[in-house]
Amino acid sequence: MSQRKPGLTLSIVLGLALYAAGVGASALVFLRVGIVLRVAGLILLAIAAGRKRSLTGWIFLGMLAGIELGLDAPQTAISIRVLSDIFLRLIKVIVAPLIFGTLVTGIAGHGHARSLGRLGLKSLLYFEVLTTIALLIGLAAINISKAGVGLDLTQTSAHVNPQLAASNSELPPEPALSWQQFLLRIFPENIAKAVADNQILQVAVFAILFGLALGRLSEGRRAPMLRLAESLTETMFAFTNLVMYFAPIGVGAALAYTVAHSGLGVMLNLGELLLTLYAALIAFALFGMLPAALLARIPIGGFLRAVAEPATIAFATSTSEAALPRAIECMEAFGVPRKIVAFVIPTGYSFNLAGSALYLALASLFVAQAAGIHMSFAQQFVMLGTLMLTSKGVAGVPRAVLVVLLATASIFKLPEEPIFVLLGIDALMDMGRTTVNVVGNCLASAVVARWEGEFRSETPSHEAIAAVTD
């Protein structure tokens, strides 16, 4: 292992260096030399990705290969767009069952919250307030930066197929929905039809009502259906992981198609979006989580030391669940009673994904901007409310928010092409939003414990102290 790691690192460094040299050579008008250097760099990176067996590495490689293909062989890039469409179909088929399973499990699975009384109510109230603040900050950030403006993919589609664009322009515009019609369309009349028509909001409403009804049953009658919902959720997460193996090809094909018609300007938009996201996450930490901690009189320095390790795990793995055991131990050692931390943090994994919610608000509006679609503030607030429903329970696997993002796009008739462009930097964005999810849930346990008057009211267990001090 000690010999393999230096070789792997060398392959990555040489690959990136050759690719950067190729970009520099092309900038100096040595086009053929630049192409040769970039291809050689991609081959070295492919060897490194194969040895490391990292999906994130393969997605990054697919992004670079797609950019290269879009620049060097635009006609071929257009012809392989079908690969990105296949990936899109595989993801879209996950949406309805995953949202149904996560919402039913999140609502009915915490039926014991009724017996916990104030604790359950205070936890849910805190979750929704912080999630709403995160959504508002995400919308404000993307409205200020306008990172998607200039990446108008509707124009590229017209360039590719002018006849189709012309025929679409001849169609009469759809009449605007009245608020009564919009409200009526939220509620399903046939759940099978809602799934078949990809009416995700109807599926979400059905799942909420189903979960509430299931929670009213006795434990014996509720358990079989709840196990089915939990099994469905886990299966769809596994399905998502399986489909994500095709992500490098889908991302590469989508970026190749986009670059062939939009040029490298798309990468500037993505860089601006990445900076916007991290600025928004910092703003949420300062104007959302910090005031909550101060109002609850949580020691800031001690809390930061307590969450340092679970936050690091979340940032490195981009998976909230990987940090769950350590987060519970650290918060118990910090002074949150076990009965509170054991309820609040796992519940927060369904209802308090502030980082993911912020990203979804930001990314959804980025998609609209990239397509040249203007959304009024009223439409943005309706989208905000929709995201509060559809974003529940996406902490299971990395890049699960892609499913919710596609669901939101289908609800608001947004194009899907910009979503594939986002996948190119999704791994970098996922690290930040996952860290905020974990830190936010840790803070929630401390705040709720303070509200209950039980913060540092009992001595932490020996196991929790030993886990933190070892």
Side-chain angles (χ1 to χ4, degrees):
M1 294 295 293
S2 61
Q3 294 178 351
R4 188 176 178 181
K5 285 186 177 180
L8 180 62
T9 303
L10 183 62
S11 297
I12 295 173
V13 171
L14 285 178
L16 291 173
L18 283 173
Y19 193 86
V23 172
S26 295
L28 295 174
V29 199
F30 299 108
L31 299 180
R32 291 186 178 180
V33 174
I35 292 174
V36 171
L37 289 174
R38 291 198 301 271
V39 171
L42 289 175
I43 292 173
L44 280 176
L45 289 174
I47 294 172
R51 293 177 61 187
K52 193 176 181 182
R53 298 180 182 178
S54 167
L55 180 59
T56 299
W58 279 109
I59 290 176
F60 179 73
L61 178 64
M63 179 185 71
L64 293 180
I67 294 171
E68 190 65 30
L69 186 63
L71 289 174
D72 301 335
Q75 294 302 318
T76 303
I78 295 171
S79 66
I80 66 168
R81 187 187 180 189
V82 65
L83 298 177
S84 66
D85 292 337
I86 291 172
F87 180 60
L88 172 64
R89 290 192 173 205
L90 290 173
I91 288 292
K92 288 176 72 174
V93 78
I94 299 170
V95 174
L98 181 59
I99 286 180
F100 175 81
T102 54
L103 285 176
V104 170
T105 302
I107 294 171
H110 297 294
H112 60 288
R114 289 184 296 172
S115 63
L116 290 173
R118 297 189 313 274
L119 179 59
L121 181 60
K122 289 177 179 179
S123 298
L124 293 176
L125 177 63
Y126 176 87
F127 294 159
E128 293 308 318
V129 169
L130 267 290
T131 300
T132 301
I133 293 173
L135 288 166
L136 288 171
I137 289 176
L139 288 179
I142 193 65
N143 274 298
I144 293 172
S145 73
K146 299 187 183 299
V149 174
L151 182 62
D152 193 342
L153 297 182
T154 56
Q155 293 181 1
T156 64
S157 298
H159 177 74
V160 175
N161 197 338
Q163 293 180 347
L164 179 62
S167 64
N168 288 339
S169 64
E170 294 171 2
L171 295 176
E174 287 189 28
L177 288 178
S178 64
W179 69 267
Q180 296 98 331
Q181 291 173 317
F182 178 80
L183 188 63
L184 184 62
R185 290 193 180 189
I186 292 176
F187 297 93
E189 58 179 341
N190 185 319
I191 186 58
K193 185 175 184 295
V195 173
D197 294 342
N198 204 30
Q199 296 293 330
I200 303 303
L201 200 53
Q202 293 184 11
V203 174
V205 170
F206 177 83
I208 291 171
L209 295 175
F210 190 92
L212 290 172
L214 190 59
R216 295 172 65 89
L217 302 182
S218 64
E219 180 65 28
R221 294 182 180 275
R222 181 173 69 237
M225 186 60 72
L226 185 58
R227 284 197 299 269
L228 177 63
E230 291 172 346
S231 179
L232 174 64
T233 301
E234 293 300 321
T235 301
M236 296 318 298
F237 278 143
F239 194 112
T240 303
N241 280 331
L242 193 62
V243 171
M244 288 308 296
Y245 285 118
F246 191 66
I249 297 174
V251 171
L255 272 176
Y257 172 81
T258 303
V259 170
H261 295 284
S262 299
L264 286 176
V266 62
M267 302 311 296
L268 297 177
N269 290 86
L270 289 180
E272 191 174 351
L273 177 66
L274 185 64
L275 292 176
T276 302
L277 173 68
Y278 276 88
L281 291 174
I282 293 172
F284 174 69
L286 293 176
F287 301 110
M289 291 192 291
L290 181 59
L294 293 176
L295 287 173
R297 304 190 310 280
I298 304 299
I300 303 299
F303 174 76
L304 291 178
R305 287 190 294 271
V307 299
E309 187 175 349
T312 302
I313 294 172
F315 188 82
T317 63
S318 299
T319 309
S320 299
E321 288 187 343
L324 175 60
R326 202 60 170 171
I328 291 176
E329 292 170 344
C330 289
M331 293 315 296
E332 187 179 349
F334 180 56
V336 181
R338 175 174 292 186
K339 65 179 181 180
I340 293 179
V341 73
F343 170 76
V344 175
I345 290 184
T347 305
Y349 273 44
S350 289
F351 294 98
N352 189 36
L353 300 172
S356 296
L358 187 152
Y359 165 76
L360 286 167
L362 186 145
S364 298
L365 199 54
F366 173 87
V367 170
Q369 292 175 353
I373 298 173
H374 173 71
M375 296 187 73
S376 66
F377 285 111
Q379 290 174 312
Q380 291 181 34
F381 279 110
V382 172
M383 184 174 68
L384 182 148
T386 303
L387 287 171
M388 289 185 68
L389 295 178
T390 55
S391 64
K392 306 304 182 188
V394 297
V397 292
R399 288 171 287 274
V401 291
L402 171 65
V403 176
V404 180
L405 193 55
L406 284 168
T408 306
S410 69
I411 292 170
F412 293 94
K413 310 300 181 185
L414 299 177
E416 293 150 348
E417 289 86 353
I419 297 176
F420 290 105
V421 176
L422 290 176
L423 274 176
I425 58 169
D426 187 70
L428 296 174
M429 295 189 290
D430 201 8
M431 293 188 292
R433 66 186 181 233
T434 302
T435 303
V436 170
N437 287 341
V438 170
V439 175
N441 281 321
C442 290
L443 178 61
S445 69
V447 171
V448 172
R450 176 70 80 183
W451 285 355
E452 288 290 292
E454 297 189 36
F455 181 65
R456 292 183 172 173
S457 63
E458 60 184 54
T459 303
S461 66
H462 294 296
E463 294 83 356
I465 295 175
V468 174
T469 56
D470 283 349

